[in-house]
Structure formats: C-alpha cells, structure tokens
Amino acid sequence: MNDRKQQVTVVIVTYQSRNTIEATLEGLRQARDTGLAEIVVVDNASNDNTADFVADNYPWVKLIRSPDNLGYGRGCNLGCRNITTPYVLILNPDAVVDAHTLQILVDFMETHQRAGIAAPAIIEGDKSHQAAGLMTTPISLLKAEFGVRQAMPQSRRIIPGEPPFQTSWVCGAVMLIRTNIFHRLGGFDPRFFLYFEETDLCRRFSKHSAEIWAVGKAVARHIGGASAKATGQSLKSSCIAEHYYRSRFYYLVKHFGWIRAIGTEVIVSTSQTIKSLRKNDKGRYVKDDGCRPFLRFPAPPGGSP
C-alpha cells in the first residue's frame, strides 16, 4: 500500500447487500492500494451474511457491525464518526466507483474551495443517466402529481464527459463531501431513517453557502434500489413506501412549515386516492402504491413512531 496521506474515507452502509457489495469493494481496491482512500463498511444487521463476507474477503475494510438496522443516514453518521480525511465519499452498496473517478472528484474539490459536495455522472442500470437538481419542494410535488411538465425546472441529467455545473441537489448514491462542513452541520439528520436524507443535507449545505456540483468527467455506475427490493416490502418506484412517505412529510415540515407540508400532503394524497379508485380499460381498479402513512413522521432514533 502506498504511504501517501489518505484524502478520502469511503463510507458504505449495507443492508442485505451480499449480492452487490463485492463489485462495490473491488471497484475501490486500487484507491485503497494507492493510499487515496480508506474504506469503512457499516452493516445494518443484515441477515444474508453481508458482514461475514466483507470480513472474510476484505480484511483491509474497516467493518462496523451494527446490532440494529440504523437506517441509511444514521449508518453513514456512524461510519463518519472520528474520521480525519479531508473528504468523505458516501457510497451505496450497489454503486461502483473506481480510483480514477474518485481522484477526479477530489481534484475538483481541491480547486473549488467553495464546493461542499460533488457528485459524478451516474449511469443507472444499462444506460440511464442520473439527473441533478431534483430538489423537492411543495410546488414540485404538486406539479408532478398533476402532470405538469418540468415539475423540477432545475433538473438536468449529468452526462459523462460534460463540463462541471453547479446545482441544488445530487443523488446520495455517490457523493463526495467536504468533511469539516459535514461535521459542522452534524452530518445527516438522524430523524430520516431512509429517503430524503441527502435532499435535506443538500439544502442545509446550500444554506451555509457550500456549493453543490455535478462533475461529468467522473463516472460511476449504480444498480439502484437493490437493498429496498431485497426487503420484499411495498415499494414506491424503488423506494420502501412506509419510509418514503414518512420521510417526505418530515422533510416538508422541517423546511417549509406545517401549513404548507400538510396542505401539500392532503392534496397529493387525495389525488392519488382518486386515481387508485379509477378503473382501467379492462374494468379493473388501479392498484395503489401500497402502504402510505399519512401525516406521520419517521420514528425518532431509538424510539417508536
């Protein structure tokens, strides 16, 4: 291993990730071997032997076994505790980032001192490109619900190779964060168990004048939703519905206040209920997305809903 000073701590939170974690860690091997990065895996009490697989095959990974499922943001906070590298890379266990991509992101941050978060172009699945600028607001939710085009006008796909551009939001699957700002803001809000934790973080970084950038010359790959699908729970797209709706409501209240949050949720929920009662062209009722907690917050850390 190269003895140069490490610049990045890569934090990966796993849950039922045995089928994807090998590719993720193999992608990071060179970054670790050259001294660019150290790797931390926080396992959220997986029962598919994810933690044992990492321990047996990757002794150079710092493995933290959580006795409970902490959720994503809390798991990241645990992995980031006491790190001293200038940057932390938050990485999903079904995403792949190589040393070249990581170095491009680090070099960008080194030359853009106002940047607090940088993300690569992310290829989703075989060819889809992850968008930046998907900053959720009450207006964007209402526009999307009623089919308004460009519900999020700042949305822009990050195309591999294109010049960097500043944005309001980047995907939490792969994001390089300036460690001192992350610690100063207290990391991820632990109230988010799953979903909207990176949206909340991007909003808080922007409020503290830390810029958010998309860097197309850096390219990563992401399967997307692998852990969620492995749970067998009701999904909204690739998100676990139970956690998605709770986190969304908490996010709306936190950043836009009770009145706007409740109003938005009532309108969206009413619209979706009406849609679910409509019959399709075969005379069958349209299936609802599944469990939709209404006006409920996520459970507090260590508490009940």
Side-chain angles (χ1 to χ4, degrees), residues 17 58 78 81 104 107 139 149 177-178 227 235 238:
S17 306
Y58 298 94
L78 177 59
R81 189 178 297 170
I104 290 173
D107 290 345
I139 294 298
R149 289 187 177 183
I177 303 172
R178 204 173 292 276
S227 293
L235 302 180
S238 293

Side-chain angles (χ1 to χ4, degrees), residues 95-102 104-105 119-124 128-129 158-162 174 215-222:
V96 177
V97 171
D98 60 22
H100 178 66
T101 290
L102 186 54
I104 290 173
L105 291 175
I122 301 176
I123 301 175
E124 299 274 359
S128 177
H129 296 134
I158 312 172
I159 305 303
E162 73 174 356
V174 187
V215 183
K217 292 183 179 180
V219 182
R221 294 186 175 274
H222 183 220

Side-chain angles (χ1 to χ4, degrees), residues 120-173:
I122 301 176
I123 301 175
E124 299 274 359
D126 293 331
K127 58 183 179 180
S128 177
H129 296 134
Q130 173 68 51
L134 301 179
M135 178 55 73
T136 300
T137 67
I139 294 298
S140 73
L141 286 172
L142 293 173
K143 285 183 176 179
E145 178 61 29
F146 293 104
V148 177
R149 289 187 177 183
Q150 294 185 328
M152 294 185 176
Q154 293 181 333
S155 172
R156 173 179 170 183
R157 296 202 177 275
I158 312 172
I159 305 303
E162 73 174 356
F165 62 89
Q166 193 173 345
T167 184
S168 61
W169 177 95
V170 289
C171 177

Side-chain angles (χ1 to χ4, degrees), residues 180-201:
N180 62 343
I181 302 177
F182 184 77
H183 285 326
R184 190 186 314 149
L185 297 183
F188 288 105
D189 181 338
R191 189 65 187 259
F192 293 100
F193 184 83
L194 278 175
Y195 312 121
F196 289 92
E197 63 277 294
E198 89 279 16
T199 307
D200 170 75
L201 188 73

Side-chain angles (χ1 to χ4, degrees), residues 46-60:
S46 300
N47 59 21
D48 66 347
N49 295 316
T50 297
D52 288 342
F53 174 79
V54 172
D56 293 343
N57 294 278
Y58 298 94
W60 41 269

